[in-house]
Amino acid sequence: MLDQGAPPQQRSQTAPPSPGAVARLMRRKPVERLVAEGGQGEGGALRRSLGLWQLTMISIGATLGTGIFVVLGEAVPKAGPAVTLSFVIAGLTALFSALSYAELAGTIPVSGSSYSYAYATMGELIAWICGWCLVLEYGVSVAAVAVGWGEYLNELLDGTIGVTIPAALSAPPGDGGVFNLPALIVVLLAMAFLLGGARESARANTVMVVVKIAALVLFCAIGVQGFRSGNYENFMPLGMAGVSAAGATLFFSYIGFDAASTAGEEAKNAQRDLPRAIMLSLVIVTVLYVLVAAVAVGAKPWEGFTDSEAALAQIMREVTGQTFWGTLLAFCAVVAIASVVLTVLYGQTRILFAMSRDGLVPKVFARVHPKTGTPRANTLIVSLFCGVLAAAVPLGQLADATSIGTLFAFALVNVAVVVLRRTRPEMPRTFRVPLSPVLPALGFGFCVWMMGSLSTVTWVVFGVWMAVGLVFYFVYGYRRSRLAPPAASEVK
């Protein structure tokens, strides 16, 4: 009861009871509030300019190319010819999670992707952990793909003008170089496109996606001429453990499909188009991945893939005996991988935009430029960070670090779709996961299984990353969250 003897002014300044620490960690952001705040930033708003075609191209652009053009050379030595099975397993894992993403993207069409879904269903602490994993997933993925871009750029330069960038300037420390300049350059080029606006970036990405699909179809048409069935005789030389390990690495290749969900606040009809874009892009990408991997292993003994990050161009050159086709593929790969950098970098900036709007990271990430409708400062900061990371860290370490962050976030999405079904069954859903909760449970189980296939070093890196994230949350986000109760001194 109020103290009736206290002066009225003193009673009005008394702060309401503050919830306990555990309750504050579990505070959830209502779905209606998430949707209502969609697009709103500091000083401006994002522009809704993307349709189904652009969203699908963003999803394909962020996915197609990464595993084939870059990580294939890392995965084949782990699984042998059974790398095709690794792609299927990774794709199946992605499919279960994609179904959950599709339902949540249509129900909660916002830029935060799985971070926002976790905020609405499992509370702030879990949302922060998920968001921090997404920072690892997207930011490190940009760097990893940029590393592979430099490999194909050297292939292109060698085939056209007969020179290559010196190893000291085209490889990171630990891989025989000092500074990977091409990796930094491609990130800065992507940054320039993003600063121009989402619609302009989507147009550029669409052109690059068409180029990369044409390149992979061309590879299959030529590479199949060098197909040797004997390359498949010892199908699983390293056993199921090798297939699993390769699948965990290759899961890195499928993270792009959720990039469409980060465009939820810039889509014209997000609830209708996001689920369609996610599922359509995943089907297209998986079919192409398996076909190209099957042709590649059939045309080149699996032992020859060791440390080969430009494997497809090399296979084209070996099959035809000419440098022209390998050079052409290298050109297409340079364009294709650039589109991955562009779209994944886009996703990273939108994740941080949503987290900043909620007060969990500094406000600078939510500032929107009034003319372009883009988070300019956010884009500059993220691009410079990813560019430096790409220039200084080897590809293999980056790919595995991305995979574990992705798998963890996807596991949470599978849980979130079940929780929201139980807590808000009345909400309209433009897409529903069939056989729920069975399929989400399978998706969760596959993610956990593939996480267990990653190396101890990767788990140590992940543990350190999460520890740093939790320290940042309790020092900064816990108190600055927009869901935090006002301090007594702020209550009027």
Side-chain angles (χ1 to χ4, degrees), residues 176-215:
V178 176
F179 191 80
N180 194 330
L181 182 61
L184 176 61
I185 290 174
V186 71
V187 175
L188 295 181
L189 288 174
M191 177 188 74
F193 277 110
L194 291 176
L195 290 175
R199 183 170 58 183
E200 291 75 12
S201 300
R203 287 174 178 170
N205 173 67
T206 298
V207 173
M208 290 188 281
V209 168
V210 171
V211 170
K212 77 168 75 176
I213 292 177

Side-chain angles (χ1 to χ4, degrees), residues 48 55 109-111 259-267 270 274 346:
R48 293 191 178 275
L55 292 170
V110 294
S111 289
S261 67
T262 67
E265 295 173 23
E266 291 161 285
L274 284 178
Y346 167 85

